[in-house]
Every structure is written in C-alpha cells, then in structure tokens.
Amino acid sequence: MTDHHLFQERLTQAIKLSGKSTNQIERELGYPRNALHNYRTGSEPSATRLMELSQYFQLPPGYLMGVIPNHVPNNPRAYFEQLNEEQKVEMLKICHNWAENFIKSTCNSGESLKTNRN
C-alpha cells in the first residue's frame, strides 16, 4: 500500500532540490509537458515512470511512493536542504567544531594544510 499524498510531497521536494524547473526535468526525461504537474496533483506514474523518476532524482522508488519512511541523500547539499533552520544551525556548530579539531590535529602533526581552489 502506498501513500499518494506522500508521493506528491516527495516528488515536489525532489524537484525543488534539483534546482531545475518542472519543464526542464520533463524535457530531460522525454516526458510530455505537464506530466510531472499531473503526478503532483493526483495522477500516479506507471512503474516505468516511477523507476525513471527514481533514477533521475537518485531516490529509492519505495521512498518516492511513501513505502520507505526516510531516506538520507548521498549528496551533502541535498541532505542539508532537508533540514529545518534549527537543524541547520546545529549542523553549522558540528562542522565548526570538526574544522577546529581538524586544524589543530593537522598543525600538531607537523603537516601543512592544503587548500583546494577550484
């Protein structure tokens, strides 16, 4: 049994996190115009489309359909974007403490820090 409301929410969130427009995603997937809009407002995707969406957004199909309750993205930015403001502040504190300890341990071991400038 799936929760279509959850599918709608999770698809909307995946589209938002992609940073792309719905129309752009539809073009990239070769879908007709408004296909994703229809999924977000009540239509259910076929199994093939569900797998395509799953691969496109790098999310398990079970998560999209509401069968799997949680999914931790592999992408750090996507994970961060899922957090609320309070959680983001906590993450900032964790990262700050990690950076301070990393710098201390690196300087104490006599190694020089190398920065990657892209």
Side-chain angles (χ1 to χ4, degrees):
M1 201 51 113
T2 63
D3 184 340
H4 190 71
H5 181 71
L6 259 175
F7 172 73
Q8 294 167 334
E9 287 179 13
R10 290 175 177 179
L11 179 60
T12 299
Q13 181 70 11
I15 292 169
K16 180 181 174 186
L17 288 174
S18 76
K20 298 179 181 180
S21 72
T22 302
N23 290 338
Q24 182 180 359
I25 295 168
E26 288 169 338
R27 282 191 306 272
E28 290 176 6
L29 289 169
Y31 292 177
R33 188 173 171 95
N34 292 325
L36 294 180
H37 173 75
N38 292 339
Y39 296 149
R40 291 166 51 193
T41 58
S43 297
E44 290 199 18
S46 67
T48 300
R49 287 267 174 100
L50 176 61
M51 293 307 294
E52 290 169 349
L53 292 169
S54 172
Q55 290 175 345
Y56 184 86
F57 293 114
Q58 298 180 350
L59 295 168
Y63 172 76
L64 281 175
M65 294 306 294
V67 177
I68 299 172
N70 296 315
H71 170 70
V72 177
N74 293 334
N75 179 325
R77 181 172 300 281
Y79 177 77
F80 185 77
E81 292 299 327
Q82 288 184 332
L83 303 176
N84 64 36
E85 295 302 313
E86 183 179 309
Q87 292 168 323
K88 288 178 180 177
V89 169
E90 183 63 24
M91 184 66 70
L92 176 63
K93 291 175 185 177
I94 292 167
C95 291
H96 179 76
N97 289 337
W98 176 86
E100 281 184 338
N101 291 332
F102 177 78
I103 290 169
K104 285 178 188 175
S105 69
T106 303
C107 291
N108 289 339
S109 69
E111 298 176 20
S112 62
L113 285 178
K114 297 179 182 178
T115 58
N116 185 4
R117 299 174 197 235
N118 293 329

